[in-house]
Amino acid sequence: MKALVLEENGKLKVKHDWSIADAPTEDSVLVKIEACGVCGSDIPRGFQNGAYHYPLVMGHEFSGVVAENREGSSFREGDRVAVFPLIPTNTSEKAYQTGDYAQLREYDYFGSRRDGAFSEFLKVPEANLFHIPEHVNILHASMTEPAAVALHGVRRMHISAGDTGAVIGGGPIGNMTAQWLRIHGCKEVFVIDIDDRKLDIASKMGFKTINSTTTDPVEHILEATRNEGVPRVVEACGLPITFLQAIKIASRAGEIVFMGNIHGEFKINEKDFSSLLRRELTIYGTWNSKVTPKGDDDWSTVLKYMDRELQVAPLISDVVSLDNGPDIFQSILEKKNFHNKVIIKPNLIEKINFAQRKK
Ligand SMILES: [Zn+2]
């Protein structure tokens, strides 16, 4: 089959004779990949020596169609599925028994520890498959994973109807976090970013936007809230300065979720720390998403809300073929073009000429 292969650090190549990876479990079924999103983590993984091994096919945010009828399976050929990328490998771990798979010490992972979905086919354990409801576009369903990560973070908090929220970071996860805050009852949500193109999307969706390169988000929010601050804050950016901003814009008894994976060292001075104590803030960490208990889990919830209250289409900036894989990663690295959510569609044959497209 065709696959976009990371041969070594920084070297992506389209291969036409790549073998479909072995089934991780006996109950695995063959899935024809429909769409796979590029995750922010694929950049350090592919280009900053972040891969577990080489060669590797990356891609862990994906949807597809079941491509075989396996005896005993509850999935049939043609079923549309979203795929949870984490595969538990030790069922005796406590985190397995409590359904907290993201807390497991032993696990396998599509697109990082084993081959992922920048390819035509994958064999997927039945427990990792989620039926895509009829109302959901299958391309959009490839965003179930980041949408579930956003939901999982928001679910840490205790939101009341009418609350005000703020999200620092306006990329796909930040934007979906803002949407989940609204779905959970926040009346007004601020989205803070440095990129006007991301803020434009958020603004069109009805969020209050702040460009922190031109406006101090702390001053702006305190002014807009009569110095009260905001009770529900999510840091979805991952910079030392934005973690501090999150603490500064939280209101008394406010809740803050730290979602961004930090780049750099977080420091806080005595005054800000004391103010954190005085305001009795609660800070939560969040990691990945949950697929249990089935039905109310993050993934099933995302698929119920997607293409209804949760809109992902405005976040998709590029849909490209596998042949365009190396070019699109190059373009993301160069940061010359605007890329928000980039989705690779293995069944697309068209190859865009990036050199010509750049305007
Ligand atoms: Zn990811």
Side-chain angles (χ1 to χ4, degrees), residues 158-305:
H158 305 81
I159 301 164
S160 296
D163 277 352
T164 302
V167 181
I168 308 177
I173 294 216
N175 183 295
M176 289 189 282
T177 300
Q179 293 191 57
W180 284 123
L181 285 172
R182 186 158 64 189
I183 290 165
H184 282 81
C186 283
K187 196 168 125 258
E188 194 171 74
V189 182
F190 292 93
V191 174
I192 302 154
D193 202 276
I194 56 166
D195 191 327
D196 276 331
R197 293 164 295 193
K198 291 177 186 171
L199 292 171
D200 232 36
I201 297 165
S203 168
K204 285 193 181 113
M205 293 173 122
F207 299 117
K208 304 232 163 189
T209 58
I210 304 168
N211 187 321
S212 54
T213 59
T214 51
T215 306
D216 182 333
V218 178
E219 274 175 29
H220 181 99
I221 285 181
L222 290 180
E223 209 176 287
T225 58
R226 292 186 207 147
N227 266 327
E228 288 284 333
V230 170
R232 316 287 165 222
V233 183
V234 181
E235 197 294 329
C237 192
L239 296 171
I241 187 175
T242 50
F243 284 101
L244 196 58
Q245 285 168 348
I247 290 168
K248 287 182 171 179
I249 62 177
S251 65
R252 200 178 53 78
E255 293 179 305
I256 304 166
V257 173
F258 282 177
M259 188 182 279
N261 215 348
I262 196 159
H263 305 282
E265 192 181 351
F266 175 61
K267 284 183 183 149
I268 183 164
N269 66 33
E270 281 176 30
K271 187 167 156 270
D272 290 330
F273 193 83
S274 170
S275 157
L276 182 164
L277 301 184
R278 195 175 286 262
R279 282 178 291 144
E280 301 192 318
L281 302 182
T282 305
I283 300 175
Y284 301 96
T286 183
W287 191 254
N288 210 305
S289 59
K290 273 189 80 171
V291 291
T292 59
K294 283 270 188 276
D296 294 323
D297 66 285
D298 299 330
W299 279 61
S300 304
T301 306
V302 164
L303 288 164
K304 278 179 213 156
Y305 279 78

Side-chain angles (χ1 to χ4, degrees), residues 39 41 60-61 145:
C39 174
S41 70
H60 58 268
E61 302 180 357
E145 198 266 351

